[in-house]
Amino acid sequence: MEAVLLRARGLPESRTIATYLAAGGYEGLKKALTMTPDAVTKEVLDSELRGRGGAGFPTGRKWGFVPKDHPGPRYLICNADESEPGTFKDREIIEHDPHQVVEGIAIASYAIRANTAYIYIRGEFVRWARILEEAIEEARKGGFLGKNILGGGFDLDVWVHRGAGAYICGEETALLESLEGKRGFPRLKPPFPAVVGAFGKPTAVNNVETLACVPHIMARGAPWFASIGRPRNTGPKLFCVSGHVNRPGVYELPLGVTFREIIEEHCQGVRGGRKLKAYFPGGTSAPIMTAAEVDVQADFDACAQAGTMLGSGGIIVLDETVDMVEVCATVAHFYAHESCGQCTPCREGADWCMDILDRMVEGHGRPADPETLLRICRFSSNGITICPLGDAYALPISSIVNKFREEFDRRIGTASPLPQKKLPVLPWTGPRPGFGV
Amino acid sequence: MSTRPIVAASPDSIAVVTLDATMEERITELLRRYPTTRAALLPMLWLCQERYGWISPGVMRAVASRLGESPAFVEGVVSFYTMYHTRPPARYVLQVCTTLSCAYCGGRELVEHLKGRLGIGFGEKTPDGEFQLMAVQCLGACGDAPVVQINDDYYENLDVTSLDKVLDELAGRR
Ligand SMILES: Cc1cc2nc3c(=O)[nH]c(=O)nc-3n(C[C@H](O)[C@H](O)[C@H](O)COP(=O)(O)O)c2cc1C
Ligand code: FES
């Protein structure tokens, strides 16, 4: 496939506006400004672009939910929080071609009639926040942002807003709270951000990669975009592959390629000639897949059908040497650390799973442990919590237990008995495996 | 790479911090960006951390009074996020990624090595105040695992040898 989002990767000075303009940059914005905002939304709807941040919601539909009769202001948010484990694609776009994002923001803001946009970028990305600020400045000087853009009468200010270290702030409503200067506590939905978003006003929140697709859709047309990939799963997609592969990295491929092709061909297989054991198809919040499930197509619908999620496109590959109880414990550590603490099933559940798993890794597994893990996960699933983090920890953990049950049972067989036998809920105070966070 | 050291120009915990004219200028610029003053809180804390090296109680009080918030509210926000230092940090804060891809691609070995070389555990500083070890979650650079962020900079595709070289260089600099 021809490179679209990554076309500038490797070019000298790929970040500058000069390079971007030479490649036809800002043509999409020019075209959009000759159309009505609704026609722009319609074009994006027709392209069947689905959000690249994790949920895969149709972008045109999301923009359509922003009320037109509202007195305003309205806001557009570019979500550059990029904190789902295994995901590093937004950084790649910003590093090599930040103007795609800036142009996408301008077009999206025009479509929803917003005059202010914020890029919420994770606090650790100091370098990439700076790159975005430079690109914004260049765009402003070039007349692509600011007052009366390209003489079309549309005004837009774009600001970079840095987070400060919290996975949860990638969730759109937690992001909005954080933007407003508060703790990143997700909000109850409805109302959805499209109606009551940033500062109580209608707001669209879109991922960096989603917005980077928009200029191409405007410049080359919805039918071109829709011709890539499969029906309902259209366009190029950035897949981030990490873990035990020979060539980890970001690959731009049409939606619908198989995970086998990505792992075996593009990444040149598993490291050291070893066998694949399992992989996460879309960040660790997606249910794990076994080596036998590697022929699934990497797109939203095929993944859903296979009982998992494409999520953010972060593929983590694990080879035959890994111990799945340890993997499960490592995953649990992440969620126990990142739960915001509002909802009991998530706050207590993730911690409790981590305790059980650490204890199992340390050789104190008990016969009831696998079932207890599954029970905790069940109790935190199916939208019982304010935001999807409750499901996000329960799905990987329960899928690992279910698909690799014999490894968990083996841990119990060899376990040394714990002194306190009668306290199944006892917090684990012993050593923590691996890192001891 | 030339990672800048943190200088904990600490107005220590009890000092009253006054935001000077340069800070005031930058704060005014920040406030223009948002429809509410409260929204300037995170960027203002970043400004202060850049300037003072950490967010001391005095800094929190100064920020609170500038934005018309209570110190308790500001402290609540500061404590929610992991990146604001609420104690004076070492000159170099080593933030080691401990999430899956890094853990399984050499991260564990880096942690063992760092703990040995520096003689400290997570959350601790070396006695000379040079290095501090922090365990962090996925830094969004998993394709280049293992990853360590030192102050503002990312160091990727590390192994024990290359990390040692970085530390030698940083330790030698004054
Ligand atoms: C716990 C959690 C973390 C999330 N983290 C991110 C993130 O880091 N980046 C992102 O773009 N979306 C993230 N999302 C998804 C956002 O809530 C939101 O759906 C997305 O930004 C919408 O953009 P899109 O429609 O362009 O995909 C996260 C969601 C949840 C529940
Ligand atoms: S797992 Fe270490 S950067 Fe993502």
Side-chain angles (χ1 to χ4, degrees):
Chain A
M1 193 196 91
E2 140 206 39
V4 180
L5 301 173
L6 294 183
R7 65 180 178 192
R9 182 161 72 170
L11 293 183
E13 310 270 292
S14 71
R15 280 201 286 280
T16 60
I17 198 164
T19 309
Y20 190 63
L21 289 172
Y26 289 105
E27 289 302 321
L29 176 61
K30 282 183 199 156
K31 182 156 166 220
L33 292 178
T34 65
M35 300 160 64
T36 65
D38 293 344
V40 173
T41 303
K42 175 77 171 37
E43 190 75 17
V44 172
L45 191 65
D46 289 345
S47 76
E48 298 192 63
L49 169 65
R50 293 170 70 171
R52 306 307 200 217
F57 193 81
T59 307
R61 265 179 69 199
K62 187 185 278 190
W63 295 356
F65 291 151
V66 177
K68 298 184 183 66
D69 51 357
H70 191 279
R74 300 178 187 77
Y75 296 100
L76 182 98
I77 312 288
C78 170
N79 188 344
D81 196 59
E82 185 135 276
S83 1
E84 176 66 33
T87 313
F88 44 98
K89 63 193 176 65
D90 299 343
R91 180 177 90 133
E92 195 84 350
I93 297 176
I94 297 165
E95 170 79 30
H96 298 287
D97 208 354
H99 280 284
Q100 285 183 111
V101 185
V102 176
E103 185 180 357
I105 289 171
I107 297 169
S109 300
Y110 177 72
I112 65 161
R113 302 168 173 85
N115 300 111
T116 309
Y118 298 99
I119 303 176
Y120 187 101
I121 187 164
R122 62 180 296 175
E124 293 86 348
F125 279 4
V126 185
R127 170 187 164 85
W128 297 279
R130 215 173 285 139
I131 290 175
L132 282 169
E133 275 176 339
E134 283 163 14
I136 290 167
E137 195 44 43
E138 275 188 323
R140 193 176 290 139
K141 287 202 181 114
F144 302 110
L145 293 179
K147 291 258 172 283
N148 191 20
I149 294 171
L150 298 170
F154 170 60
D155 303 338
L156 178 67
D157 283 320
V158 182
W159 305 108
V160 175
H161 186 97
R162 285 178 61 208
Y167 166 65
I168 195 60
C169 291
E171 194 281 331
E172 55 189 8
T173 60
L175 184 157
L176 295 174
E177 288 287 299
S178 180
L179 174 69
E180 292 179 9
K182 294 177 260 179
R183 298 165 76 96
F185 282 162
R187 301 173 181 168
L188 266 176
K189 294 191 271 193
F192 289 92
V195 183
V196 182
F199 311 106
K201 306 294 182 192
T203 303
V205 183
N206 282 122
N207 172 257
V208 168
E209 187 188 348
T210 311
L211 291 168
C213 289
V214 170
H216 302 284
I217 294 172
M218 293 315 298
R220 302 172 74 167
W224 162 80
F225 192 85
S227 74
I228 302 170
R230 296 201 303 146
R232 287 182 32 89
N233 295 270
T234 60
K237 173 82 190 87
L238 299 186
F239 294 99
C240 328
V241 194
S242 63
H244 298 144
V245 286
N246 281 313
R247 288 185 46 196
V250 183
Y251 295 88
E252 181 173 22
L253 299 165
L255 278 170
V257 295
T258 63
F259 287 101
R260 183 191 291 283
E261 183 184 328
I262 297 175
I263 295 169
E264 289 182 3
E265 286 173 38
H266 299 284
C267 301
Q268 295 181 8
V270 176
R271 228 172 248 190
R274 287 192 280 269
K275 284 217 281 287
L276 174 70
K277 180 166 191 176
Y279 69 97
F280 284 101
T284 53
S285 303
I288 201 162
M289 301 289 273
T290 65
E293 297 168 304
V294 77
D295 286 309
V296 169
Q297 282 178 298
D299 66 33
F300 300 106
D301 294 339
C303 282
Q305 225 167 35
T308 185
M309 292 178 343
L310 184 65
S312 53
I315 303 169
I316 305 173
V317 176
L318 299 166
D319 73 19
E320 56 186 334
T321 64
V322 302
D323 176 308
M324 293 313 287
V325 182
E326 267 179 40
V327 167
C328 201
T330 310
V331 169
H333 268 263
F334 177 82
Y335 294 98
H337 184 265
E338 300 296 346
S339 172
C340 84
Q342 282 190 107
C343 313
T344 314
C346 175
R347 179 189 66 237
E348 302 300 323
D351 246 35
W352 188 2
C353 286
M354 176 181 79
D355 271 12
I356 293 174
L357 287 159
D358 279 354
R359 180 164 49 68
M360 292 186 85
V361 171
E362 287 299 314
H364 299 287
R366 283 176 285 180
D369 285 341
E371 284 309 320
T372 309
L373 286 169
L374 292 174
R375 219 169 63 225
I376 298 168
C377 290
R378 235 176 357 253
F379 184 58
S380 190
S381 301
N382 301 322
I384 198 173
T385 48
I386 292 176
C387 91
L389 195 86
D391 293 275
Y393 88 78
L395 288 170
I397 292 178
S398 56
S399 65
I400 296 174
V401 176
N402 282 326
K403 291 186 181 179
F404 296 93
R405 181 63 185 257
E406 71 291 350
E407 288 191 38
F408 286 78
D409 290 339
R410 218 178 306 136
R411 281 280 177 173
I412 298 156
T414 61
S416 60
L418 258 194
Q420 307 93 327
K421 280 202 190 101
K422 269 166 53 192
L423 288 169
V425 221
L426 190 72
W428 177 240
T429 51
R432 300 288 185 183
F435 290 112
V437 180
Chain B
M1 272 254 201
S2 52
T3 296
R4 265 194 313 135
I6 298 172
V7 182
S10 82
D12 73 3
S13 359
I14 40 169
V16 177
V17 177
T18 338
L19 305 167
D20 61 20
T22 344
M23 288 289 273
E24 196 46 55
E25 195 182 309
R26 296 182 67 181
I27 293 163
T28 313
E29 194 277 320
L30 276 180
L31 286 167
R32 279 199 312 117
R33 302 181 179 186
Y34 307 97
T36 64
T37 44
R38 181 177 275 185
L41 178 51
L42 263 64
M44 205 168 145
L45 289 167
W46 277 124
L47 267 186
C48 289
Q49 181 145 305
E50 235 168 73
R51 172 67 185 275
Y52 304 113
W54 64 298
I55 307 294
S56 67
V59 168
M60 283 190 237
R61 276 195 298 274
V63 169
S65 99
R66 178 63 184 82
L67 294 182
E69 301 287 350
S70 71
F73 176 81
V74 172
E75 191 176 346
V77 171
V78 169
S79 63
F80 182 82
Y81 299 94
T82 55
M83 293 184 72
Y84 296 125
H85 301 301
T86 49
R87 263 180 270 163
R91 284 162 57 82
Y92 298 103
V93 181
L94 312 178
Q95 300 147 79
V96 191
C97 174
T98 61
T99 308
L100 203 59
S101 300
C102 284
Y104 282 91
C105 292
R108 285 167 200 262
E109 291 73 27
L110 289 190
V111 170
E112 280 309 301
H113 178 72
L114 281 173
K115 284 183 173 169
R117 167 171 171 150
L118 302 173
I120 53 175
F122 283 131
E124 295 174 350
K125 283 194 278 188
T126 53
D128 60 3
E130 205 63 24
F131 294 109
Q132 180 173 342
L133 202 52
M134 262 175 82
V136 297
Q137 299 295 345
C138 181
L139 288 166
C142 333
D144 299 317
V147 184
V148 178
Q149 183 175 12
I150 307 181
N151 296 355
D152 283 351
D153 299 322
Y154 274 46
Y155 291 82
E156 305 174 27
N157 285 313
L158 290 166
D159 56 32
V160 167
T161 320
S162 57
L163 181 59
D164 265 346
K165 237 181 85 197
V166 173
L167 296 195
D168 288 344
E169 220 173 274
L170 294 178
R173 201 155 61 213
R174 271 287 155 195

